[in-house]
Structure formats: C-alpha cells, structure tokens
Amino acid sequence: MAESPRIGVVLSSGGIRGVYAHTGFLLALARLEIPIAAAAGCSAGAVVGGIAASGADLHAWSDALARVDRRRFWTPDSLAYFLWQVVVRRGRGYTGVSGTEAPMEFCRSQLAVQTFEECRYPFHALAVSLARGRKVMFSHGALAPRMVASAAMPLLYRQVEIDGDWYCDGALVDLAPMDAICCKHGLDALIIHHVATRHADMRRIFQSRWSMLGILERLLLRQRPWYLSEERLTFNRCPCHCGAAVVVIEPSLPELPWPVTEGGPQAQAAAMAQTELLLRPYREALLSDPRGRLPAPRNAGNGLPDTKAPACSG
C-alpha cells in the first residue's frame, strides 16, 4: 500500500492578528483532516506553530486566546522607568519597552510538551541572531524561549538570551521560512499561510496607536516573498525542483492593530472559513497525489527559471 503524501505547513509573521489567523488556519486543516508532517513558523507563526506541534488541543488554545488579557504577552515599562532609561542612562542597554517574561510564561502554560524533541512532528522556528547577524532556525531545545525569541520585535520587546546569544524577531529576515522544511523533510506538498500585513497608507500609520510598529512593518515588507501573488489561493512548485507542490493561502482579514485583542476571534473565524473554502476542492488531491494532481503553476512550462525563489536548505 502506497504511503500517504507528506504535507508540511509554514506560518508567516503577522503580529497579534497572525496569532488568531494561524489558529483558525490550523483548526481548518484539522476539520479537513489534513495531517501535518512538519511545520515552520516565524514570529506569530512560531508561537502558534509551536503550540500546535507540541500536541496541545487547538480548541483549548483558541479558548485561551478568546479570553487572553494583554498583560499575558505585553508588559510595557512605566513612563517613569522609560524616561529614566532614556534621559538618565541615555539608553545604555535599553533595547525594548517590554520584557519577554510574561509571553514566555504564557507560552509555557499552553504547551503540551516543553521541547522541540518531544513535538508530534518536526517543528522549526525562525529568529535572528544579533551576535552573528543572521537568521537561525531553531529545531532543538526548549520551545517557549525560542518561540518568543522568534516574535520579539525590536524596540517593542527586549531580545531573548539563549545559550549566550541574543535573538529577536525572525520577520526581520524572512516572513515565512519555507526553505526550512520542504526538501529537508521530503514533503510532497507545502501549505503556506501568509498573513503578514500589506502596505498601509502612511497617514493611517501615523494616526494609529504604536505608529513605530507600523513603520517597522513597512520596512519589513519592503521585499515581498517570491510566492506572493495578491490572490487568495495560488499553486507553485518548490524552487529546488524537487517536485513538491507549494500551496499559498493569502486570506482577507480584518485589521487588528497591536496590541489589541478585541476582534481577534473574528480574524480567527475568517481565516478558518477561508482556508476550508479554498482547500476543500483540492482536499482529495492533497491527500492522494499532490505532486501530480494539484494545479500546475501559471508559469509552468515557459522554460524560464525562477530567479526570485531562494534555494531550500535540504
């Protein structure tokens, strides 16, 4: 009897909205009975991806998100402490307005297991090493600190120290690290759930709360991933020419500015509904022969190499 296709998922960065949206996406995959053989995540995607890979009940996680108090993940310094750091100490050693202890403890409390090695399937979280100045894919060790390191946006959060190095948000170098798992784990199909915020009108950014986060997101999005198309569902092939199908979902979601959680369940429900609607027509192909039965990329057969796509680290 032929083995079932191996399907991986990649969860992009996306702020607080991404946490809710990725949860809805994974709930939709569970409803469609699409198994996950490996996963990778960045920032918000690392948080949700780690929770799911640990074997935690996604419905319990969804319930926790629906009633979460922002103090569980966002503990900004007082104005007096901020002014003391900036004016008196002149910013020496001051790297972010919030510590990471609260979000780290929240993640620990939601995990079913505490290490990468204990996860149900291989999981990778992308962060940036400040000491080495490059991206790092975590796949071993304690989950919670590495998940939080992947999501520690500079200026907003202080960096996370792990084994003598300091790490921050992986979105600085890669919004969705598909190269971490596709060829490495012999996948037949990879589903990318991309929810990173699109470019917004600068006037709206300046008028919103936490405008510096909007500016940071604008800088992060200056380079678009090769697979984006502005369409809700597209089909590609792995740039390493291994034949694996790459399915990209770009849902249409309501805005959810940092660190607002009101409206989060609506973003989650929208992502869940769109994922199920978009993937259900292709479910049988995914579960039987994604390499052969899923639609071919639009530019397939034109003889032109894809110069925008990075090579997978297989």
Side-chain angles (χ1 to χ4, degrees):
M1 184 175 179
E3 293 184 2
S4 298
R6 292 176 55 78
I7 301 171
V9 299
V10 173
L11 308 177
S12 75
S13 62
I16 190 67
R17 183 177 74 163
V19 173
Y20 287 98
H22 290 320
T23 300
F25 165 75
L26 292 177
L27 285 169
L29 292 191
R31 181 177 290 185
L32 291 168
E33 297 182 307
I34 296 175
I36 298 174
C42 176
S43 198
V47 172
V48 179
I51 296 294
S54 78
D57 185 303
L58 286 178
H59 293 284
W61 165 246
S62 174
D63 290 341
L65 285 180
R67 61 175 185 274
V68 68
D69 187 302
R70 71 183 60 176
R71 288 173 294 184
R72 298 294 302 275
F73 64 88
W74 176 238
T75 53
D77 296 326
S78 67
L79 179 59
Y81 183 76
F82 174 80
L83 291 175
W84 179 74
Q85 285 284 357
V86 173
V87 177
V88 178
R89 289 181 52 82
R90 298 184 180 180
R92 292 186 181 91
Y94 192 64
T95 58
V97 299
S98 174
T100 56
E101 295 81 5
M104 207 173 297
E105 182 53 38
F106 179 58
C107 286
R108 285 196 189 100
S109 71
Q110 299 299 315
L111 290 166
V113 298
Q114 296 299 318
T115 67
F116 283 84
E117 290 82 356
E118 298 173 281
C119 286
R120 295 186 302 150
Y121 45 76
F123 173 63
H124 304 259
L126 170 66
V128 174
S129 163
L130 293 177
R132 288 171 282 176
R134 63 179 179 85
K135 79 175 187 179
V136 172
M137 294 303 308
F138 291 123
S139 58
H140 302 283
L143 277 163
R146 290 161 175 82
M147 291 159 54
V148 172
S150 178
M153 176 74 77
L155 301 184
L156 293 184
Y157 283 103
R158 293 186 270 279
Q159 68 276 1
V160 177
E161 183 179 0
I162 300 173
D163 298 333
D165 199 350
W166 292 265
Y167 298 90
C168 65
D169 198 326
L172 293 170
V173 293
D174 194 345
L175 298 179
M178 68 152 288
D179 59 315
I181 61 172
C182 185
C183 301
K184 181 175 183 178
H185 295 291
L187 301 179
D188 297 293
L190 187 67
I191 306 175
I192 301 175
H193 193 235
H194 192 98
V195 298
T197 306
R198 299 284 197 279
H199 282 168
D201 187 302
M202 288 305 300
R203 286 172 295 184
R204 289 179 57 191
I205 291 177
F206 292 141
Q207 293 170 1
S208 66
R209 291 190 296 173
W210 294 102
S211 296
M212 66 179 179
L213 179 58
I215 293 172
L216 279 172
E217 287 184 334
R218 185 87 177 195
L219 294 173
L220 291 176
L221 291 171
R222 69 189 185 279
Q223 293 184 339
R224 289 166 47 84
W226 66 271
Y227 53 77
L228 288 187
S229 67
E230 303 294 345
E231 297 183 16
R232 290 200 298 167
L233 179 68
T234 53
F235 298 92
N236 296 282
R237 287 291 185 267
C238 174
C240 280
H241 308 293
C242 67
V246 178
V247 182
V248 185
I249 297 177
E250 302 176 55
S252 176
L253 301 171
E255 293 293 329
L256 199 62
W258 182 269
V260 173
T261 57
E262 294 80 6
Q266 287 75 20
Q268 177 180 307
M272 182 176 178
Q274 291 177 57
T275 298
E276 188 168 1
L277 176 67
L278 293 170
L279 289 186
R280 186 170 290 281
Y282 304 99
R283 178 180 177 276
E284 184 179 346
L286 271 169
L287 297 180
S288 59
D289 180 18
R291 292 171 178 263
R293 297 186 59 187
L294 286 176
R298 288 185 176 180
N299 62 351
N302 61 9
L304 298 176
D306 188 346
T307 57
K308 298 180 181 179
C312 289
S313 55

